[in-house]
Each structure stands twice: as structure tokens, then as C-alpha cells.
Amino acid sequence: SKKIVIIGAGGVGNVVVKKCAMNPASFSEIVLASRTLSKCDAIAAECAAIGLPTAVKTRQVDADNVPELVALFKEEKPFLVINVALPYQDLTIMDACLEAGVHYLDTANYEPKDVAKFEYSWQWAYQEKFKKAGLMALLGCGFDPGVTGVYTAYANKHYFDEMHYLDIIDCNAGDHGKAFATNFNPEINIREITQKGKYWENGEWIEIEPMSIHKPIDYPNIGPKESYVLYHEELESLTKNFPTLKRARFWMTFGQAYLTHLEVLQNVGMTSIAPIKFNGMDIVPLEFLKAVLPEPGTLGENYSGQTSIGCQIKGIKEGKEATYYVWNNCHHADCYKEVQAQGVSYTTGVPAMIGASLMIDGSWFTPGVFNVEEFNPDPFMELLNIHGLPWEEQHNITLPHEY
Ligand code: NDP
């Protein structure tokens, strides 16, 4: 059991803190640090109010500032830092980890603030530095990326000699009752879905216009929902780590009302990340939009319906064609009851806690920088069933490109 620092007191941070505080066998001491101290204090107070066994200490930190982070780590001396702030902070936190000798875990790859560009290159470049320091960094340990990589590694280990086709399918069939809101940080979410789509086919990336490929996919216990091909960061590491894949795509559902709102916001320039002058001040329209939208962490109350995320795979086993589908369905209302969060924060926070616990008990521990699919998926799959994200599986399925 070890001490950890969690950075970021948003929707996901709330879940990670509470799930870690429920699990004293892995986490002996918990420090929650974020830009706004009052948000940390509110989460710590809720942990105490619901009677979680481990007390949560809070600290203020600007995670864009390496010396501030180093000072925090040197004072608190954690084994590991769980980064659930924003992707912009990944590199400063990794730099501080190297300087203070702390292991690292995050749920989203680094992104520079001024270009919407999702790729692992920046963080993979830390491989030698982490290895030399005897430190480990586990990248992308949320649900997608995260569990989707573990699912793929599990399929590869148990059910295929060679995987050929991978479709990651992500459905949120929930209703939060708001006209327009995003389920995780609006800035990051809108940057992700307004960029060009991209998928992997026969050794290269095929770029497509945003949202231009779509079809209804039938989700378990939900039914058919219109799903759109978009680029998602785990495709980069999965196609590298499983080079037999001939095609890998990522599909996500969007409701018509969401898309209409987004189209209007885009047409009027509100999703732009280029600064404009307003009353003599520089303003980034997308940052301003974030300020008027509901915070993801506040959507949980009265959120009904469920999410369903899984991997559909086709390949070869013992010379014969094989197919496999593994998924989790998660009810927003259950998440709210357990940790006062909506399903998207929950499905991200639980895997982060599980990844951290495996690094702590040594079952996932190698110095260097890694993606989740590079480790043995079995202990992770077991813990998903124990900690609130049980999975189901099915063989003999039809993949989206076949209907
Ligand atoms: P929120 O916007 O709800 O929370 C982000 C938190 O980070 C806020 O508390 C914010 O503080 C804090 N923060 C931002 N900048 C700094 C800084 N410079 N220093 C210190 N703290 C800072 O986002 P979410 O909780 O929804 O998402 C958190 C992360 O999880 C994101 O990186 C997101 O991309 C990732 N994610 C991953 C998923 C997956 O499946 N892999 C799915 C969903 C999210 P303040 O409140 O003061 O602004």
C-alpha cells in the first residue's frame, strides 16, 4: 500500500479520489492537488461525508509550472502521481516526476494548447529518460484510451493468433437533460471531434472529413445508434503494438441535437482556438465557450441511461476465421449513487485507479514509458469486474464493415 498524489479536481478527479479512498489495501495516503483548492476541498469533504476509509489531504498547484510541481512532490514524497488534469499538463508533470523521482500515470495524451493534435510522439520521447531514472510512466489508462487497449490485448492473448480488423465502438445513450453539454472537458472534447477523422488501413492513415463516415451500430441493451468514425488516440499505439491489424477504426455515437448545436457553434466561430481581440483583450473563443457550458462534473445528478464501450475484432485462430466482442455497459445513475459522478467520468476514473494499483503491487511495473496494452491484461480484467466496470464477451459476431 503506497502514497499517491492525484492532480486535477474535475469530473474524473472526483472519481479517482473516491475509488482510491475506498481501496486502502493499495493506497495508504491520498493527496489531491489542483489549480482551484476549493474544488479539492469539496471532494475531500464528500469523501469524509460518505465515510470512505482513507482521509484525503488537499493542496493547491499550478500544473503548468514544473518547479511548483517538483516542490509539491518533494514535500509529499508520493510513490506515484495520477494525472487527471488536462492533456496540456502531461509534459510538465512528467518533467517534474523525473526531477522528483515519482512514477506517473495519465488518461489522455499530450496536446499542445495552440494546435489540436493528438499523438503520443511527445510522451514516447521520454522513454529513455524514464528507463534510466528507474521510473515508470503508464499512458492512457482511462476507458478509451485505457480499457479498450486492455480489451484488445486480452483478445490477442486468448482468442487470436492474428488480429486483422478492430472496431472500437463507443456509445453514450444517456440523457443529462441539458440542451448542450459535453461529458468531459468541453475544450478537449470539441477539439477532438471537430478535427479531421482518421483510421488505419493497410499500413497507412486514411484521413476523412469530420463525421463523414457513419452508420447505425447495435449496442447491447441499447439498440441501434448512429455512430461516427473519428480519430481516437489509442489507434496510434494499438496499430503499433499489434502490427497484424489491417484496419483499425474508432466509432462514437452522437445525437442529432448535439451535432446541430456543434454545427451552429462551429459556423459562428465559437469552437476556434485562434485568439481574437475582444474589448482590447485576447480571447480564445473555445475557452470562452467552455466557461458558459456546464462543467462535466455537474452533469451526474438526474443523468439517466447508460454507456456501452467495447472492441469488436476479427482475425485468425488455429487457421480459422474468428470474431470476438468484449464490452462494458455502465449506468449513469449507478455511478452517481456510488461516487456522485456521471458515467463518462466514472468509466475513466476507475481504470486509472486500477492501473495505479497494479503499478503499486508490482504486477504492472517496468521502468520506461508504456501504453496499457503492453502489459498482461488478465489482472486488469479481473479488477474491472471487482471495482465497478464488469465486462461481457461474445464470439461469432458481425463487424460494422460487414453490414
Ligand atoms: P475537467 O475539466 O472536469 O477537470 C480538469 C481538472 O484539471 C480541473 O479540476 C482543472 O482545474 C484542473 N486543471 C486544469 N489545468 C490545470 C493546471 N494548470 N494546474 C492544475 N490543475 C489544472 O475534465 P475531466 O475531469 O472530464 O477530464 C480530466 C482528464 O481526463 C482530461 O485529460 C481528459 O482528456 C481525460 N479523459 C480521458 C478519458 C478516457 O477515457 N481516457 C475520458 C474522459 C476524460 P480548474 O477546475 O481550476 O479549471
Side-chain angles (χ1 to χ4, degrees):
S1 180
K2 300 246 159 68
K3 177 170 181 174
I4 53 162
V5 167
I6 297 163
I7 301 185
V12 178
N14 168 60
V15 176
V16 179
V17 171
K18 288 175 182 164
K19 294 301 282 194
C20 290
M22 280 173 199
N23 188 0
S26 296
F27 307 98
S28 56
E29 286 175 72
I30 300 169
V31 179
L32 172 60
S34 192
R35 182 162 55 192
T36 314
L37 184 64
S38 59
K39 291 192 187 176
C40 303
D41 290 340
I43 293 172
E46 273 180 22
C47 290
I50 56 179
L52 299 183
T54 310
V56 176
K57 180 176 167 186
T58 61
R59 297 283 306 258
Q60 199 274 332
V61 76
D62 175 5
D64 291 321
N65 183 320
V66 178
E68 242 184 67
L69 287 164
V70 171
L72 172 76
F73 296 167
K74 285 193 170 160
E75 276 166 45
E76 296 294 347
K77 300 187 179 57
F79 173 77
L80 167 85
V81 54
I82 300 179
N83 167 18
V84 282
L86 297 181
Y88 314 132
Q89 280 89 44
D90 288 3
L91 300 187
T92 46
I93 298 176
M94 288 176 86
D95 284 332
C97 282
L98 284 168
E99 206 175 322
V102 178
H103 305 292
Y104 173 89
L105 179 152
D106 69 26
T107 66
N109 67 16
Y110 172 71
E111 219 189 305
K113 248 196 142 141
D114 50 352
V115 249
K117 201 162 179 210
F118 302 83
E119 51 174 70
Y120 280 113
S121 58
W122 288 284
Q123 290 181 276
W124 283 344
Y126 281 67
Q127 169 68 14
E128 280 313 307
K129 285 192 214 164
F130 267 77
K131 214 166 145 184
K132 243 175 137 179
L135 294 172
M136 173 171 164
L138 184 60
L139 308 183
C141 195
F143 206 103
D144 44 346
V147 175
T148 51
V150 174
Y151 282 170
T152 307
Y154 186 76
N156 187 62
K157 177 172 176 183
H158 297 285
Y159 300 121
F160 293 96
D161 295 325
E162 242 184 57
M163 297 190 295
H164 292 161
Y165 298 97
L166 166 67
D167 285 290
I168 299 172
I169 59 173
D170 177 335
C171 172
N172 181 3
D175 180 8
H176 47 55
K178 306 263 192 305
F180 182 77
T182 62
N183 293 291
F184 62 99
N185 185 278
E187 221 183 295
I188 306 299
N189 185 216
I190 291 173
R191 282 162 71 114
E192 178 176 281
I193 62 185
T194 54
Q195 66 168 349
K196 288 232 163 112
K198 208 164 73 166
Y199 62 91
W200 180 257
E201 190 164 45
N202 298 325
E204 59 181 0
W205 294 107
I206 311 289
E207 204 175 71
I208 57 169
E209 286 308 309
M211 311 290 198
S212 59
I213 299 182
H214 54 98
K215 61 163 63 179
I217 291 178
D218 199 358
Y219 294 89
N221 300 319
I222 291 172
K225 289 273 174 199
E226 200 66 17
S227 306
Y228 297 76
V229 169
L230 48 88
Y231 180 64
H232 224 240
E233 62 198 52
E234 64 265 51
L235 294 177
E236 186 185 8
S237 67
L238 288 171
T239 51
K240 175 174 164 261
N241 289 320
F242 300 106
T244 60
L245 285 172
K246 295 180 205 282
R247 173 159 57 204
R249 295 184 294 191
F250 183 96
W251 303 76
M252 190 180 271
T253 61
F254 294 99
Q256 199 45 56
Y258 182 93
L259 293 176
T260 306
H261 275 83
L262 192 65
E263 193 185 348
V264 172
L265 291 167
Q266 250 185 306
N267 285 342
V268 300
M270 280 306 298
T271 60
S272 167
I273 57 175
I276 54 149
K277 276 265 183 267
F278 179 76
N279 283 349
M281 247 169 72
D282 276 332
I283 289 194
V284 174
L286 182 57
E287 286 177 10
F288 179 74
L289 175 62
K290 171 183 184 284
V292 296
L293 290 176
E295 292 205 24
T298 62
L299 298 174
E301 210 174 354
N302 305 319
Y303 206 142
S304 61
Q306 55 186 317
T307 62
S308 177
I309 314 175
C311 294
Q312 301 195 330
I313 299 163
K314 182 173 175 174
I316 301 286
K317 180 74 175 172
E318 281 149 15
K320 284 205 222 71
E321 196 174 280
T323 56
Y324 179 65
Y325 178 25
V326 52
W327 74 93
N328 161 263
N329 273 35
C330 182
H331 287 266
H332 291 288
D334 293 346
C335 304
Y336 193 76
K337 212 154 99 198
E338 189 191 337
V339 292
Q340 301 76 51
Q342 37 99 346
V344 177
S345 306
Y346 189 88
T347 54
T348 310
V350 171
M353 181 279 287
I354 292 174
S357 74
L358 292 175
M359 285 170 73
I360 284 171
D361 77 13
S363 31
W364 275 25
F365 191 87
T366 315
V369 176
F370 298 96
N371 294 89
V372 294
E373 67 269 20
E374 295 176 81
F375 290 93
N376 176 9
D378 296 350
F380 201 110
M381 293 293 274
E382 221 176 283
L383 292 175
L384 285 169
N385 284 331
I386 295 171
H387 292 292
L389 294 175
W391 44 275
E392 289 176 71
E393 60 183 357
Q394 191 186 334
H395 295 270
N396 304 318
I397 56 149
T398 306
L399 266 66
H401 66 277
E402 293 168 324
Y403 52 78

